[in-house]
Amino acid sequence: MDCGSCLEDNKSVRLQINELRKLSETCGSSTIFEPQTSPETGESNAESVNLAPVVGAPEKKLTLFALRLSIFEKSATGLGTLGFIWATVVLLGGFAITLDKTDFWFITIILLIEGTRIFSRSHELEWQHQATWSIADASISSFRALRSSSHILIKAVKAMGRPVSMMRKQSYNTREVTHAGRSQVGRWKDSRTPTRTWISSDVPLLPYGQWLFLSRNISKVLYWLQLLSATACVVLSCMKLIMHNYGEVQKGDTDKRNRQSALNIFYSLALAEALLFLMEKAYWEWKVIYCKLLEQVNKECEFGPSGMVSIRRFFYDAYSRCVNGSIFDGLKMDMVTFAMDLLASNSPDEQLIGARILRQFSISERYSDDTLQKIGVNLSVVERLVEMLNWKDPQEEEMRKSAAEVLSKLAGKRQNCLRVAGIPGAMESVSSLLQTNRSSGDGADEIGEKNLVLDQANYSFWTFNHLGLVILKKLACDHDNCGKIGNTRGLLPKIIDFTHAGENLLNDKNVAPSQILTVKRSLQVVQMLASTTGATGKHLRKEISEVVFTISNIRDILRYGEKHPILQKLSMEILTNLALEEEATERIGGTGGVLQELFNIFLNQGMPEHQNHVRRAAGEALAMLSLESRANCHRILRLQVLEKLVGALEDPLLRVNAARILRHLCTYSGSDCFYELKGVIAAAPTVLKVIMSNENKLQEVMVGLAAQVFKRMSSTESSIMFERAGMKEEELAKALVRILEKYKHPSAKVPRIRRFAIELAIWMMHENVQNVYIFKDLGMEKELESVLETTSELESFNIFSGTVGLSRHTTTIHCLVETALNPLKDT
């Protein structure tokens, strides 16, 4: 990691640039100053309603293999049963007295051998579970009786999963931050390995012969015992069939001839059964040892080295179903359903295997869609996953983490998102993931610098914190879920707590990416909550702004986060949305340094080009904070930035928001700031040129600014400004009439342009008869009457929350039109 720090830094910069570009593309040019229609549910969440693509399931190879093996097994068992019946009923029952001595003992030995092999075969699977899985709760179907037969066995069995858990945990942690000192694996092993109970694979069944009688080796003994017995059957049967020494048959001796035929049938059945069994074993060895079928399926499932436990368990369960029931029962199994069944178990080891499988399939690009679709329609599984989020026992850490990762993927689909949030207590469960290793008494220290250094011993806290924020971010995509998040006791303060990032963290070149990512996720969640529309959004903005650390945390990011433009942009978007509420606007403006930091970013000419979106976001936040806020306007004037704002009108990047800020300063500062705003007159030539040469949004804001700027001029000063702009008042009048002609109806993209054009026309006609005649000749009266017929609520507001208008204009559009018509009618 350290040797590649330069490459990591370059990669980080590229990622930030790409992400900023993506943000700008998704947001487009629409802002809070224009109404935004909600996207169609079906379009924005098309992936949630489309069926998951069909993918090849690797476990089909295992179920097919189990089917073929079971055909061999059941055929051999059937022949063996028939041979046993034939020997006991026909030979020993009908010819016991007349059988040759050698035939009698051959039959007896073969029956004993066959009995031994059948006994070994019937118990081999049970010992295979103990010997190969390391997790001893043998199966969810065929071996339930084995698990429930002994309370002591259950206790011993529970100890078996820990080595595998350790292996899985180690494989997972290779993707995370590596810690010095004692590893997580060691802690897991120490805490989970029992010291006062037996591990079932190490139980010595007899006091002597430890290697032979260890339970983990019995399966090997049984395996070789079956091979030897089958081989012995082949040898003995072939000897008798080849030698054919059943005793001489005398002419006319029908009884001996029948006995000979009966013996031929018996030895043939024994030979066929043994050969079938050997063929089964050969097929097994070829597929498992030579072709490495289990390893191949494990690789396709992307389980990693420790995934062999899950693969073996699935295969043996499928095989036992085929053997104990219909040969087709195993074909009905699939890995996802198998994992969901395990997850519903009461055994921690089964739950762990199920959680691992669901986690890996959920994050896999190939299998995630199909897996998440199956999980989403199974409400009991979703409820169990949500329940597992509350499991805070360190021994259940991996299960909790796997459940959180699955839910983080599941919540990305709209339908599943609603199901997750609809489970009673779901938000409280997600909130439990945001627990930190800081004590509750640390609240007083939040004003100072928080200790955000990753604690090795408590790294899992940060992992769960990040997963919790990811889940909340995806849940917050739904309006109703935002309300649930806000109503969950103590959740908002927890989220806001993670937005804290002090100077040391933001300026540290060696800061862990996970720490910055956690801050980013928390800001994204807060931004989504603050941008919620309707009464829910109003309540959320109030709750967010009332948390005393919200604005100060954002101020620190604005002040020290120049290396993290994404964090700054998210912070400014939060301020913009919070400013929809009057109380929040005053809180933001009254927090020392916020306005200054916003202007430092907005007017910073030295920022790289790829951070232009950050400057634009700062301008939008300032425009919102200055809207209808006399106190904030006075604070801005005290910052001595008026001249720079006027200069920013020349910058294509800044001119829209600079014009909005200047207009708000002129409109809401009050008459007592007349002289402080005298410098805004210098903007007039630039404003006039832009009005004549541009359209749409830029033209709208410049017309609005012109209406306020010219009100602060005398007729002499206005004439000078027109001369500096190189144009006459008649040209401006024509431009205003053209605007009204173009926008016969209110436009959602420029909802205030007709209002601003009428305001500017009123100023031009005020005590200027010549301009009145100019407007009359241009047909202004007709256009104004047309406006009266097409007015709508769209033109009555300064800003919008979705499609809901906020901050209504004090003067209606009808009043403006009537004021403009009066001089035209009087002439």
Side-chain angles (χ1 to χ4, degrees), residues 630 633-634 664-674 677 712:
R630 184 170 182 174
C633 288
H634 288 178
H664 295 164
L665 291 175
C666 294
T667 306
Y668 306 112
S669 293
S671 57
D672 53 335
C673 295
F674 182 83
L677 287 167
R712 298 180 176 274

Side-chain angles (χ1 to χ4, degrees), residues 559-582:
R559 181 172 294 170
Y560 306 116
E562 57 186 16
K563 295 180 181 178
H564 305 282
I566 296 175
L567 302 186
Q568 289 187 322
K569 187 175 190 297
L570 288 169
S571 298
M572 289 180 284
E573 289 175 349
I574 293 172
L575 293 180
T576 301
N577 286 296
L578 290 179
L580 290 170
E581 310 303 324
E582 183 178 353

